[in-house]
Amino acid sequence: MILVREEPSSQLTIPDHTELDRGTLRGIIRQAGLSVEEFRELLK
């Protein structure tokens, strides 16, 4: 899955697995400079 945010510009690639370790996902979100809430909004 690839999520693109316009402002500020960034791209986030999430591994496409049935199950992803919670710590791994949080680390990816943190590295992207997003909050969990911002990440959830991008999934909509």
Side-chain angles (χ1 to χ4, degrees), residues 17-35:
H17 295 281
T18 310
E19 197 170 306
L20 189 63
D21 183 65
R22 182 176 170 172
T24 301
L25 181 56
R26 286 192 181 272
I28 292 169
I29 294 169
R30 189 176 318 116
Q31 285 181 338
L34 297 170
S35 68

Side-chain angles (χ1 to χ4, degrees), residues 3-12 31-34 42:
L3 300 174
V4 178
R5 180 172 63 169
E6 299 298 324
E7 295 294 328
S9 177
S10 65
Q11 181 174 321
L12 177 62
Q31 285 181 338
L34 297 170
L42 289 171

